[in-house]
Amino acid sequence: MNEQQIEKRNKLAANVLRLSRNTLLVNLRFLDMALSCLQPAATNLTTLCTDGQYLAYDPTFILRRYKQEKEVPVRDYLHVVFHCIFRHMYIHSLMNQTVWDLACDIAVEQMINDLGLKSTCAARERQQQVIIQKLREKYKVITAERLYRCFLDENLPEEEMLRLRELFKADDHGIWYLPPEEKIQISIQFRTAAGSGSGSDSESSDSGSGNTPDEEGDLPNNNSTSAATEADWENISQRMQQDIEMFSKLQGNTAGDLMQNLREVNRERYDYTAFLKKFAVLGEAMKINDDEFDYIYYTYGLQLYDKMPLIEPLEYKEVKRIREFVIAIDTSGSVAGDLVQRFIQKTYNILQSTESFFSKINVHIIQCDTEIQEDAKITSREDFDRYLNNMKLRGLGGTDFRPVFSYVDELIRNKEFQNLKGLIYFTDGYGDFPAKKPDYDTAFVFIDDGINNYDVPPWAIKLILQKEEI
């Protein structure tokens, strides 16, 4: 192609994306911030991709997709925007790339399907429905994170994952996994491409009508929008959730999967290490107290009496650590034994690694289904090590939380505890809670399975962890 043909092609591709963007804006007003944050950049480095800042596209690829099916560019645009809203590109370098790519593409495609927009109803949607229906029956709620964990657990063959991805793929994820220095270089090239775009930033009032794009106009360039960061996308995601919830009566049920995914990605992430510190108490520990050491008197004594200090540092210090604590384990048949053991191990590792224990401790690990099955008293790190090495789950019956609280209250009356600060109950949530608040703080720890609503009494702390967080 000569220079004139290339310019004509680029303008046509830019107008296809402009039309796609405006179509989405007309139909999904809650996407206004998201659509304005992603900067289009025409480049031959990729077919279609995003790094969270730019929508990089090959003009020839866009035009071929539009010629094949005019709904495809609209759907692809929304596909990429959803990746940004759910921050799929901001991932750990150790992620299994094949599994994560598939999980992300399925998650965003099923949300697009759930919206039921005529402008995004491409042929691939019909091919996806059978697979999505099977996934719904199996996993209930479909999110990228949940699918990723499940696909890893099931150890799907790579050939099967690649076959499935062909049905859900819309963009290239390669840039997500590049080293930071390479990402920076690619982003610089995208920024250059976005800044070199020509054309007007104005939008016609009928751009969302679905007409064939002409040769006039272009997408917003680098001067009209600012590059978005991960924090920006988090804010956009939270605002979207608020907007959809506020206008839910107008939206009806068409955004059900989208709302579930927004709640999941925007839910509070818990720091279990910081959480355990809530149950610490003040006490003295054998430790040099630099905070109360007066260097002036110390150095003055060294000078006045020839290396004879007037004051020595204190050899003890008041610190907040855990001295008395109860870990209750729901050993009903619905609670997985391997998760219980991992939870106990994680709790111990945190306490040990952060020096959260006093030298003398009083920790009770209580197993209970509908009645108390075991009470293991831990008074030292050595006791904890022995318990972990020989731990066996007992019970496997129904679930009732009340026996544990009655038992702990009895221990308090018998002076087993002097100043019990808290109890953590690891459970699936299906049980009867005590009628009144105990005299100590109580936290119920759940594993997120996408089904349980995790209702707890108002006096209890609710903590929801993902499997990979244990």
Side-chain angles (χ1 to χ4, degrees), residues 110-111 113-114 129 131-142 257 260:
Q110 64 93 19
M111 282 185 283
N113 295 346
D114 188 57
Q129 288 300 340
I131 296 172
I132 290 177
Q133 183 58 36
K134 291 180 179 178
L135 292 173
R136 287 186 194 276
E137 294 172 356
K138 195 170 185 180
Y139 305 127
K140 308 302 179 185
V141 178
I142 298 178
D257 283 339
Q260 287 179 328

Side-chain angles (χ1 to χ4, degrees), residues 190 230 324 369 373:
F190 288 168
E230 181 178 3
E324 296 185 330
D369 46 19
Q373 298 293 338

Side-chain angles (χ1 to χ4, degrees), residues 176-430:
W176 297 0
Y177 309 101
L178 293 177
E181 59 275 8
E182 292 187 35
K183 279 187 180 180
I184 292 173
Q185 292 302 317
I186 293 292
S187 292
I188 291 173
Q189 295 181 56
F190 288 168
R191 183 172 68 235
T192 302
S196 63
S198 60
S200 170
D201 188 37
S202 63
E203 298 178 2
S204 62
S205 59
D206 62 345
S207 358
S209 61
N211 296 328
T212 303
D214 55 28
E215 298 179 15
E216 299 299 326
D218 202 350
L219 288 163
N221 60 29
N222 195 44
N223 298 321
S224 60
T225 57
S226 58
T229 65
E230 181 178 3
D232 294 327
W233 284 114
E234 183 176 0
N235 292 332
I236 290 170
S237 180
Q238 291 171 351
R239 174 180 159 174
M240 269 185 58
Q241 181 180 345
Q242 294 170 357
D243 288 347
I244 296 175
E245 288 175 343
M246 184 179 299
F247 299 107
S248 58
K249 291 183 179 179
L250 297 177
Q251 297 294 337
N253 295 322
T254 58
D257 283 339
L258 177 58
M259 274 305 304
Q260 287 179 328
N261 278 263
L262 284 171
R263 290 190 184 106
E264 172 64 22
V265 76
N266 292 329
R267 75 176 178 87
E268 183 181 359
R269 293 304 194 265
Y270 300 99
D271 184 346
Y272 189 57
T273 303
F275 175 76
L276 283 179
K277 294 180 181 178
K278 293 177 180 288
F279 304 102
V281 295
L282 278 173
E284 289 184 355
M286 293 299 295
K287 186 176 184 180
I288 298 297
N289 190 349
D290 294 326
D291 297 334
E292 298 183 15
F293 178 52
D294 194 327
Y295 285 94
I296 296 177
Y297 280 104
Y298 181 79
T299 55
Y300 178 69
L302 293 179
Q303 295 173 1
L304 186 62
Y305 298 109
D306 191 19
K307 299 183 180 181
M308 176 69 72
L310 290 176
I311 186 173
E312 293 283 357
L314 293 175
E315 295 182 353
Y316 61 88
K317 182 178 182 179
E318 274 202 337
V319 294
K320 291 196 75 174
R321 293 182 180 176
I322 293 175
R323 189 189 301 277
E324 296 185 330
F325 194 55
V326 174
I327 301 173
I329 304 169
D330 177 3
T331 57
S332 63
S334 57
V335 178
D338 61 328
L339 281 178
V340 170
Q341 292 178 320
R342 282 159 52 191
F343 173 73
I344 298 295
Q345 181 70 59
K346 178 182 179 69
T347 303
Y348 173 58
N349 290 344
I350 290 173
L351 296 175
Q352 187 181 48
S353 63
T354 60
E355 295 185 345
S356 296
F357 276 152
F358 286 110
S359 56
K360 291 289 185 178
I361 60 174
N362 182 17
V363 175
H364 285 249
I365 303 177
I366 302 173
Q367 296 190 30
C368 179
D369 46 19
T370 55
E371 58 185 34
I372 302 298
Q373 298 293 338
E374 181 186 71
D375 177 14
K377 182 176 179 178
I378 308 295
T379 60
S380 65
R381 287 187 173 90
E382 292 73 22
D383 287 348
F384 223 137
D385 289 332
R386 281 193 295 270
Y387 179 80
L388 289 171
N389 291 333
N390 301 292
M391 179 181 177
K392 293 182 180 179
L393 292 184
R394 309 176 190 279
L396 306 179
T399 303
D400 191 343
F401 305 129
R402 294 170 296 183
V404 167
F405 291 91
S406 299
Y407 180 73
V408 172
D409 289 342
E410 183 180 350
L411 291 177
I412 294 175
R413 287 192 295 270
N414 294 334
K415 309 299 182 183
E416 175 63 25
F417 295 111
Q418 303 300 319
N419 185 21
L420 178 62
K421 289 293 292 182
L423 179 152
I424 284 185
Y425 211 129
F426 184 78
T427 177
D428 61 1
Y430 297 105

Side-chain angles (χ1 to χ4, degrees), residues 12-44:
L12 280 172
N15 281 324
V16 168
L17 286 185
R18 171 186 287 281
L19 181 66
S20 302
R21 174 182 178 273
N22 291 339
T23 300
L24 293 172
L25 189 59
V26 167
N27 289 279
L28 303 171
R29 299 301 298 179
F30 53 80
L31 285 178
D32 56 349
M33 284 187 65
L35 291 169
S36 65
C37 278
L38 204 58
Q39 298 183 39
T43 175
N44 59 2

